[in-house]
Structure formats: C-alpha cells, structure tokens
C-alpha cells in the first residue's frame, strides 16, 4: 500500500484490519503509536521477535531506512551488486535485512507493506516484489489501493488469545516495568474488543500494580510519615485485589517493591498473613 495517509491507515485499523499488528522500526514505535490514535498493537520489530500474528502491517520500513543507505538498498534489491560485497562495505544493510526478515516472518496469513511517503528503497523493493516471474508469471506481492483491502480483522477468540499472550508476556521476570505496562495496555484493549469483562478486569488490576511499582521508583521523603502511610494503604488495597484475581506473582512483586517503605509492624504482618501463604502455594 503505497502513498497511504495516516488518516487512511487509522480508518483501516479501526475497521477492516482491526486487530492487525503494526510493526515499525523499534525507535519509531512510540511515534507511530501516537500517530495511530494510541493504537495498542504497535510493536517495534525486535519487540515482536518470537511472536506470530494473523495479519501484520509493516509500516514505513523502507522510508525510514537512513538516506545514506537508500541507494545501496536499491542496488541490492535490483541485483546490481553482490550481497556479500555490499554487506562488507555497508554492514548496516545486513542488520536491516535481518530486521526485515524478522518482521515478515511474524505474519501467518496476510502481510501488508504500508509506505506513507515515497523513497528510493521503498520504490525499488515494491518494484521487485510485484515483478512477474518470467516463467510462471507469479509475483511475490500485489500493489493495492487502500480502499480495496479485504476485511481481515481478528475474531473474538483471536482477540482473547492475543490479550492472554500479552498479559503472560507482562509477567516475564526479565520484562522491564514500562514494557509490562505497555503489554498490559495491549491486553486490556484486546479483551475490551470482546466484551470479556473478567479478563479485562484482571488485566486492569495487574496494570494498576505495575503503575504503582513504577511510582515507587521515585524518591520519597523518609520523614513524611503521611506519604508512607498512604503508600501502605494503597499497597494493601492492591494486594487484596491482586489476590482475588489470582495474581500471586504480582502480590509478591509488589511486596518486594514496597519493603523499603513499610513500617516494621506492617512488613511483619504482611509477611505473616499474606506472603508466606502465597509462597507456600507457589511451591
């Protein structure tokens, strides 16, 4: 889809391609999420590594290739230079090829390249992809008008599955808190598309705890007893909600994050009444 406007893409993602995953260069993901009306399913390509999706939109991949590499990319795509020679002189080309491969192989059924602006790399790649084979007349891809795209939105079950995938990724022990926050935003959005109240509520509680843990990373005045008391109250309320939702792992994570702020009495009581029981269940 060449020459698509951001407005056209927003309409497409809210209708025919609702639930499609948008992949961008990693450093552009936050920008495109904002430009696409806070569309929750925008991933940096590296963030999506190892995942698979029904429909994928690779957005402005070629247009965002650095200007110094636009012509070398064209020479490679049009087979005017040996790949090995080019990668030796322009090693970033090799990195971009691997990145493109990662993006393409995330897709199960339908893949779209969307370029919102013309570029040397984009034009040459589209020419190569749509060029007919001399023997059988087949092409790798077709160039479409954005208005002719057939509906490929996710089903209700697929939205639930995608939401669960994101919620589970948010639990990963190596996942940064801001990454967990983004994953849970996606999970909540997916569950809301199906009116699955229970799963959406569970994800919201988890999200609230992640946001609270992010707040705890800010400095607090140790002499401000009122501030510490308020933190204890909020933490206790969150722990209760997390326990009701069966989010044991997050209760324990929250307890660890709160330890520096707890009074000796509160810490001992939480350890005795909540934490020991939950750790016992985990075993």
């Amino acid at each position: 889809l060449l020459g698509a406007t951001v407005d056209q893409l927003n309409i497409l993602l809210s209708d025919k391609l609702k639930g499609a995953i948008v992949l961008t260069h990693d450093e552009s993901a936050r920008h495109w999420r904002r430009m696409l009306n806070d569309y929750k399913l925008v991933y940096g390509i590296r963030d999506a590594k190892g995942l698979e999706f029904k429909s994928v939109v690779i957005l402005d991949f070629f247009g965002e290739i650095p200007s110094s590499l636009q012509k070398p990319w064209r020479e490679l795509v049009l087979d005017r230079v040996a790949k090995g020679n080019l990668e030796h002189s322009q090693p970033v080309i090799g990195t971009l090829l691997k990145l493109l491969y990662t993006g393409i192989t995330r897709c199960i059924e339908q893949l779209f390249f969307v370029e919102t602006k013309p570029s040397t790399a984009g034009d040459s790649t589209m020419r190569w992809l749509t060029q007919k084979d001399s023997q059988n007349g087949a092409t790798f891809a077709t160039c479409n008008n954005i208005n002719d795209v057939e509906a490929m939105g996710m089903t209700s079950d697929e939205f639930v599955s995608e939401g669960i995938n994101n919620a589970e990724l948010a639990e990963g022990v190596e996942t940064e808190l801001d990454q967990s926050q983004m994953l849970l935003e996606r999970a909540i959005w997916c569950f809301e598309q199906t009116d699955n109240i229970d799963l959406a509520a569970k994800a919201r509680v988890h999200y609230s705890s992640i946001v609270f843990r992010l707040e705890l990373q800010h400095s607090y005045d140790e002499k401000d007893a009122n501030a510490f008391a308020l933190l204890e109250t909020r933490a206790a309320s969150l722990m209760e909600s997390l326990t009701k939702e069966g989010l044991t792992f997050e209760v324990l994570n929250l307890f660890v994050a709160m330890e520096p702020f707890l009074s000796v009495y509160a810490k001992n009581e939480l350890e005795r009444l909540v934490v020991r029981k939950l750790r016992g269940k985990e075993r």
Side-chain angles (χ1 to χ4, degrees):
L1 302 174
L2 300 178
T5 66
V6 173
D7 287 341
Q8 287 174 319
L9 187 54
N10 273 319
I11 292 171
L12 199 63
L13 291 171
S14 66
D15 183 19
K16 293 180 178 179
L17 287 182
K18 188 174 185 179
I21 304 301
V22 177
L23 299 181
T24 73
H25 287 272
D26 294 82
E27 60 273 15
S28 299
R30 190 180 298 273
H31 162 76
W32 279 113
R33 199 173 295 119
R34 184 174 64 252
M35 294 296 291
L36 296 175
N37 297 329
D38 198 29
Y39 187 63
K40 301 301 182 186
L41 303 182
V42 177
Y43 292 71
I45 293 176
R46 290 187 180 88
D47 288 339
K49 191 174 182 179
L51 305 176
E52 290 185 331
F53 310 101
K54 178 179 178 180
S55 298
V56 170
V57 174
I58 297 182
L59 178 56
D60 270 2
F61 180 89
F62 306 105
E64 292 186 2
I65 290 176
S67 57
S68 62
L69 297 176
Q70 288 283 326
K71 288 184 179 179
W73 182 279
R74 179 190 63 190
E75 299 304 293
L76 175 65
V77 169
L78 299 182
D79 204 23
R80 296 173 179 171
V81 62
K83 177 175 177 287
N85 292 340
L86 185 59
E87 284 193 77
H88 180 72
S89 61
Q90 301 280 2
V92 178
I93 290 286
T95 301
L96 289 169
L97 285 169
K98 292 174 183 176
L99 195 64
L100 180 60
Y101 174 82
T102 299
I104 290 172
T105 53
R106 298 313 92 209
C107 178
I108 298 173
E109 294 187 18
Q110 195 166 31
L111 173 68
F112 295 93
F113 286 104
V114 175
E115 294 288 310
T116 63
K117 54 190 177 185
S119 67
T120 300
D123 293 345
S124 57
T125 304
M126 293 307 118
R127 194 189 325 160
W128 178 74
L129 286 171
T130 57
Q131 181 177 287
K132 290 185 178 181
D133 185 273
S134 58
Q135 295 183 348
N136 57 27
T139 64
F140 288 112
T142 57
C143 192
N144 296 292
N145 184 303
I146 199 165
N147 296 318
D148 296 332
V149 174
E150 295 181 1
M152 278 292 291
M154 288 198 288
T155 65
S156 179
D157 287 345
E158 287 167 340
F159 269 118
V160 170
S161 178
E162 182 62 21
I164 291 173
N165 285 341
N166 278 279
E168 289 179 344
L169 285 171
E171 297 176 11
V173 292
E174 296 181 358
T175 304
E176 297 291 335
L177 286 180
D178 55 350
Q179 182 74 4
S180 292
Q181 182 181 9
M182 184 175 65
L183 288 165
L184 286 167
E185 286 176 353
R186 290 175 183 155
I188 293 167
W189 184 84
C190 287
F191 295 142
E192 288 176 343
Q193 308 313 303
T194 68
D195 294 325
N196 195 313
I197 299 173
D198 292 340
L199 286 176
K202 184 173 184 175
R204 286 193 195 97
V205 171
H206 190 183
Y207 177 84
S208 296
S209 183
I210 295 295
V211 171
F212 182 61
R213 286 206 280 145
L214 280 167
E215 288 180 26
L216 293 177
Q217 294 180 350
H218 300 151
S219 59
Y220 285 87
D221 184 356
E222 296 182 4
K223 298 179 181 179
D224 191 342
N226 290 332
F228 275 45
L230 181 59
L231 288 177
E232 286 187 11
T233 301
R234 290 177 62 192
S237 177
L238 274 171
M239 286 182 177
E240 182 179 4
S241 298
L242 290 165
T243 302
K244 287 180 180 178
E245 294 292 349
L247 295 167
T248 304
F249 62 95
E250 183 58 25
V251 175
L252 298 175
N253 287 339
L254 181 55
F255 175 75
V256 171
M258 271 296 299
E259 277 191 284
F261 304 94
L262 293 173
S263 64
V264 174
Y265 173 79
K267 180 180 177 180
N268 290 339
E269 285 298 292
L270 284 172
E271 180 78 35
R272 180 176 65 86
L273 297 174
V274 180
V275 176
R276 288 178 187 172
K277 292 181 180 178
L278 293 179
R279 284 177 175 158
K281 288 181 180 180
E282 282 196 327
R283 297 193 190 98

